[in-house]
Amino acid sequence: MKILACVKQVLDSESVFRIRDDSDWIETEGDPRYGMNHPDEFVVEEAVALKEAHREVTVDVLTVGPHSASQVLERAVGMGADRAYHILTREEGYLAPFTVSSWIAGFAETRNYDLILCGIMAEDDMQGQVGPMLAEHLGYPCATSVVRETCRPETETIRVEREIEGGRRELLEIALPAVLTLQTGINRPRYPSLSNLLRAKKEKPELLDPARFPMPEDREQFLRAALPPAVRRGVVLEGDTEQKARELHGILKEMAFL
Amino acid sequence: MKKTRDAVVIIAEAQGDETAPITLELLALAREIQLAQPCKIRFLMVGHGTEATARDLARRTGREVVAVEAETLRDYNTETCLEILQEHLPGLSPRFVLMGQTPRGMDLAPRLAVRLGAGCITGVDALCVEEGELRFSRTAFGGKISLQMAPARSITVVTATPGAFTAPQESVSSQGSVRLVSSARRSARSRTLGIIEAPRQERGLSEADVIVAAGRGIGTRENLALIERLASVFPRSAVAASRPLCDQGWMDYPRQVGLTGATVSPKLYFACGISGAVQHTVGMQGSGFIVAVSRDPHAAIFRIADVCVVDDLEAFIPAFLALCREE
Ligand SMILES: Cc1cc2nc3c(=O)[nH]c(=O)nc-3n(C[C@H](O)[C@H](O)[C@H](O)COP(=O)(O)OP(=O)(O)OC[C@H]3O[C@@H](n4cnc5c(N)ncnc54)[C@H](O)[C@@H]3O)c2cc1C
């Protein structure tokens, strides 16, 4: 069985950034930190766990991103993925999910994966579109928001539980090949192992130029990034910790919460 | 029916026999679109036993509802639903297809867009009009910025964040209409085996006056004790969490607040180390008073908080507790 795990590099949520003067994207300030999109850690874990549970499973890991994104491939190989592929894009900026999913489909098309795993959503642009679009490009069935799976390679099916409204779960049996997007919490992602990390350092990811895939026309237009409006005009407490604690204590007492 | 794409089609969702709240919120968005660019508003409902809900919807909104009744959807199935939508949507001449950014909408929208050759804009929370052109806003980076998007195709599939638009309180003059169609399509690629019911709701959360909620910012499991101590100083209080803490097993899922957890509206919501991603805030934005503690001054939670405490919670909470003890 061949598995493809799709992962993305994102800016750490506490990094300081501002909107660029041309409003075209953000720019970071100070010392930005990047890492693997949190939901994608579950993707790599699930793929590697499948490899351990079944015989003859290979796990390829793929990212679409700038040079620095090789960092997340290294982590994925560190966690136990076999081979890494990197569709190398220009530096920072907006990329439409339709474009990204088309490229991944172009990559996956000829490689006959039985199972393609994606995270439920990227923490940066929060669109949640790449996985399900990828399934359409390839003509595969798809389940999103998966919180449990049981793969049955012998019958070429996979059973999944997906999270639906009101905390309920839908139980499905899907024919392979298929695309799943995994919800966080489906497993407990492991830490990379030292031996795998050493291997990741030695075996560099295979770089792919996006120019080898068709560049689709935009299906919706990204205009600009902006600051969202404040919903409530809250007070920001000033002073040192002690003073802030006193002020909050006063406010909550006055409102009779304490 | 005219073949110009002149309609906003809302994919309706049911909750039991009634219209789901999100469907009426989508009507608010559809009307905003209609104000800027005159068009028809139609509902499309796909499922099994749709008639009662379709009538409820037509009566409440006075609009045209097309209900595709599918025996094959006795158990909901995405693949089958997609095939039915793909078959019936073009006849309704949609310029926009609206769904909720709900588990179902998130599952369908991107795939439907590809099938229709349409654009796709997910997680929309506001619409504005610039020189007659529609601009959809959606949040990104955990709510710290918003991305403005414009349609570029003759059809655009849009999903709206639950709670972002307010269901219109309109007096309805027309009876509306219901058109029932049936379909026998069934996807061969996926089979629904059943539904697993939700674990029992945490009653403590709905009954509490004060909810103290912990997020990933608490850092260590040991700090949960700090959160519990903080909750204990408020009468009628309960402890809750953001999703990552439940994912890690630090708290049980019934205590999770947000899109895929509980929706709460206590008198006081005290958020500790929560960044304020929209999937969390949809579950607590109806709270009476919101206090937020985060060390990130740009955290999105501060946009909806009444009192913003920019500090390290490991220092702030003990300082606050010390004052409570002094009393
Ligand atoms: C389909 C879907 C459904 C989802 N459903 C839900 C849901 O129901 N509920 C939910 O909560 N999430 C849900 N999520 C996840 C959601 O998108 C966010 O990832 C999540 O809410 C983030 O949790 P957090 O705020 O605790 O963590 P983070 O976003 O990591 O925020 C941590 C915060 O703590 C601050 N912090 C860190 N250390 C300290 C310190 N020492 N002192 C003070 N502050 C500190 C940080 O600056 C940051 O502001 C869902 C996601 C998807 C895609």
Side-chain angles (χ1 to χ4, degrees), chain A residues 13-14 120-121 183, chain B residues 106 215-217 242-244 256-261 273-277 279-280 293-296 299 311-313:
Chain A
S13 64
E14 279 190 280
I120 184 164
M121 186 178 274
Q183 176 57 295
Chain B
M106 292 172 69
R216 196 149 63 172
S242 68
R243 176 156 192 133
Q256 178 191 317
V257 169
L259 183 64
T260 45
I274 293 177
S275 64
Q279 293 84 9
H280 184 79
V293 185
S294 167
R295 66 179 179 198
D296 179 359
D311 209 336
D312 192 314
L313 60 84

Side-chain angles (χ1 to χ4, degrees), chain B residues 175-188:
Chain B
Q175 271 292 301
S177 67
V178 173
R179 185 151 59 89
L180 284 173
V181 190
S182 69
S183 174
R185 279 182 180 273
R186 182 196 293 279
S187 165

